Structures are given as C-alpha cells and as structure tokens.
Amino acid sequence: MYKEKLKTLRENNSLTLQDISKLLNFEKDTYGKYEREYTTMPLKHLNTLCNYFNVSLDYIFNFNNIPNYENSQKEINKKLAGIRLKEFRKDNKLTQVKLAEILNTVHTVITNYENGKNLISTPFLYDICKKYNISADYLLGKIDDPKYFK
C-alpha cells in the first residue's frame, strides 16, 4: 500500500526510524511496524507524514507519480470526506449496504463515515480509491481536482 514510498522518503531525507517516530510521537517499533505494513497506519498519522514530506496521499499510495498537488489542504476535512464518500457511493450506484459488502464491513460503519462521525480507515480508503480510480486526496477534502485518475 505505502511501505516502499514511506521508506524511500525517509531514507532520501536521511532520517531514521527513530526520527520519524519522534515526529509522530510513537515508539520506534510502532513506526517500524507501520512502515513495513505489519499494521496499518491510521490516516491521521499518514497525513502528518504527507505534510512533513510535502507529498500527497495519492503519491504515498502509488496511485500516481505526482508528488503533490497545487492548492492542497494540509488537514483532512472529516465532514467533507463524509459528503464526498456519499457522493462517490451514489455516483457509482452503491448503497451503503453494497459498499459495506465490498469493504467487508457493516453498513453502520459507512453511515458513520458519511455522517462525519468517524474518519474512513486507511485500508477502506485505499481499496475504494484503487478499485474506482478516485483520488484519496479528493475524497478526504484535501483537493478539489483531480477527482478521478485517468
């Protein structure tokens, strides 16, 4: 999902696992597990790294080779992310139940995302974006364009 990009960015900036762990206020072992994808990094922390390295989530996820977008917002807009997820779902004629099925979860999870109660999980965001060629940065309200990848 993101391990190669994170490791490359860290090494190209001559940073250690310890340096990144301090930035994110983690134990070194915790960040190491995230970088190796033994566990999935929450979007909140992934976004912090994107901001630190000045790259987009789409770049980290290997959806494109554009390191960053003009006019990109630094923060994830949870409310706008919910609105855009719902818009995406309706554009693709998916019910909450169907999207939940695709993501192997329950529809109340989708409801909570769409209502802005919870931020979408990293694996669910990645799966949606990869399957439907939609920008993670767009879905999270960080950019307005591009919406879809070509």
Side-chain angles (χ1 to χ4, degrees):
M1 184 177 347
Y2 50 70
K3 68 181 176 182
E4 291 304 318
K5 287 283 173 122
L6 288 182
K7 184 177 180 184
T8 300
L9 285 166
R10 180 177 57 77
E11 290 176 346
N12 287 349
N13 285 275
S14 302
L15 297 169
T16 64
L17 289 172
Q18 181 109 16
D19 295 329
I20 299 297
S21 296
K22 283 181 186 175
L23 171 73
L24 296 172
N25 200 25
F26 290 151
E27 293 294 322
K28 182 175 123 181
D29 291 342
T30 301
Y31 179 72
K33 289 176 185 175
Y34 287 148
E35 188 176 276
R36 290 186 301 278
E37 290 185 27
Y38 292 158
T39 58
T40 304
M41 186 182 298
L43 278 175
K44 169 180 138 179
H45 302 302
L46 203 51
N47 189 58
T48 298
L49 285 179
C50 287
N51 291 335
Y52 182 81
F53 291 118
N54 194 31
V55 296
S56 68
L57 284 160
D58 294 334
Y59 181 77
I60 289 285
F61 286 149
N62 285 308
F63 293 150
N64 65 28
N65 290 321
I66 302 166
N68 54 37
Y69 298 113
E70 282 186 39
N71 303 318
S72 178
Q73 303 299 309
K74 296 285 184 195
E75 299 304 316
I76 293 171
N77 184 328
K78 195 163 43 169
K79 184 176 179 181
L80 183 55
I83 291 167
R84 287 187 173 175
L85 180 63
K86 185 175 186 175
E87 171 190 279
F88 151 79
R89 184 177 54 74
K90 289 185 174 199
D91 287 350
N92 287 276
K93 297 176 178 38
L94 298 169
T95 63
Q96 286 183 345
V97 171
K98 183 62 180 168
L99 182 57
E101 246 176 54
I102 290 167
L103 297 174
N104 198 26
T105 190
V106 294
H107 86 278
T108 54
V109 169
I110 306 303
T111 301
N112 288 337
Y113 293 157
E114 289 183 0
N115 290 335
K117 185 175 180 184
N118 298 75
L119 183 59
I120 190 169
S121 72
T122 305
F124 290 169
L125 176 69
Y126 179 84
D127 289 348
I128 288 168
C129 294
K130 185 148 179 82
K131 180 175 176 104
Y132 294 94
N133 293 317
I134 190 166
S135 164
D137 292 273
Y138 171 81
L139 274 180
L140 295 174
K142 293 185 61 141
I143 61 169
D144 292 326
D145 189 54
K147 181 176 179 178
Y148 289 97
F149 303 119
K150 301 189 188 296

